[in-house]
Amino acid sequence: QSALTQPASVSGSPGQSITISCTGTSTDVGHYNYVSWYQQQPGKAPKLMIYYVSDRPSGVSNRFSGSKSGNTASLTISGLQAEDEADYYCSSYAFSSTPYVFGTGTRVTVL
Amino acid sequence: QVHLVQSGAEVKKPGASVTVSCKASGYAFTTYFMFWVRQAPGQGLEWMAILNPRDGNATYTQKFQGRVTVTRDTSTNTVYMQLSSLRSEDTAIYYCARSPRRLGAYFDYWGQGALVTVSS
């Protein structure tokens, strides 16, 4: 089971919206609504931002939203803030001997 | 308040074994699955294993089959991950993370991570 494909980097100015894509296959992202997203600040453990494609845990800003179309899931950050600068990883359940797969990761830079 | 507190950093020689612990508190220990995820320096996240604390049943990704063992102690709400036959490529931060479900897992709380360095 290969890692899900994410862009290496995405950048935006404060206040703008950015979208991070997460491309898988018909056996993972395309097959299940079990996509989650994690934010990882430097030197910290990952933090859950989105689960089940678009559900937000309590305490996570509503500036973060998730969606999915076909084999590609997306995380959108609206009203970009300096504190959003971090690495972001998607994850999906997969119909595979390795049923839990992560994305390659995206570095978000706030210009 | 949920906490997953892991043991400290370790330095091991190639061929040795390492055990990382993860002590859970603030929730009913047996009601959440515990996962182990590692992150090599500058790299992404990689799933290693899943443990059902209720019955102690563990499942490992094929890559680590035969080298990793995950156990738990329900009297102390602690999960242990042992990795044997260490090689330099095992140098990484090892995280425990809990999930409310196995199918469609998502990780709502993570330990702080334990750096394991493998070096001669």
Side-chain angles (χ1 to χ4, degrees):
Chain A
Q1 183 69 36
S2 300
L4 307 174
T5 301
Q6 298 180 232
S9 62
V10 173
S11 62
S13 299
Q16 285 187 329
S17 293
I18 62 169
T19 296
I20 304 167
S21 61
C22 169
T23 301
T25 69
S26 59
T27 60
D28 42 59
V29 175
H31 192 81
Y32 300 100
N33 287 325
Y34 293 143
V35 176
S36 52
W37 289 90
Y38 303 87
Q39 176 193 68
Q40 187 176 33
Q41 304 281 3
K44 301 288 189 181
K47 174 187 176 183
L48 178 67
M49 306 303 284
I50 296 287
Y51 64 102
Y52 294 169
V53 175
S54 59
D55 288 352
R56 213 171 26 248
S58 61
V60 172
S61 170
N62 59 10
R63 297 186 298 104
F64 292 84
S65 61
S67 62
K68 191 187 86 166
S69 177
N71 296 339
T72 299
S74 298
L75 174 72
T76 297
I77 309 174
S78 58
L80 198 62
Q81 299 179 2
E83 66 202 49
D84 300 331
E85 197 161 274
D87 293 328
Y88 291 82
Y89 293 92
C90 61
S91 180
S92 176
Y93 189 77
F95 186 73
S96 166
S97 57
T98 307
Y100 311 101
V101 61
F102 288 96
T104 50
T106 298
R107 174 71 52 89
V108 168
T109 302
V110 181
L111 302 173
Chain B
Q1 194 171 4
V2 174
H3 288 290
L4 300 177
V5 179
Q6 299 185 229
S7 48
E10 302 260 14
V11 179
K12 296 291 183 180
K13 294 193 181 303
S17 297
V18 69
T19 298
V20 179
S21 66
C22 172
K23 183 172 175 59
S25 62
Y27 70 97
F29 178 66
T30 59
T31 62
Y32 285 78
F33 294 90
M34 195 68 80
F35 285 70
W36 287 90
V37 175
R38 80 175 187 180
Q39 186 172 37
Q43 302 299 308
L45 303 168
E46 179 179 29
W47 169 68
M48 298 178 66
I50 173 177
L51 175 81
N52 183 344
R54 190 181 299 273
D55 59 13
N57 184 51
T59 303
Y60 311 113
T61 187
Q62 195 166 10
K63 176 177 179 178
F64 299 101
Q65 283 277 4
R67 287 210 299 141
V68 66
T69 304
V70 176
T71 58
R72 95 297 192 212
D73 182 344
T74 55
S75 68
T76 61
N77 291 351
T78 302
V79 178
Y80 300 91
M81 187 281 298
Q82 181 184 59
L83 186 62
S84 61
S85 302
L86 290 169
R87 28 206 190 231
S88 59
E89 311 90 86
D90 294 319
T91 294
I93 298 173
Y94 290 78
Y95 293 102
C96 58
R98 75 165 201 179
S99 172
R101 53 187 298 163
R102 184 188 184 101
L103 170 63
Y106 61 89
F107 313 112
D108 59 353
Y109 283 91
W110 295 66
Q112 83 275 21
L115 174 62
V116 175
T117 302
V118 182
S119 174
S120 54

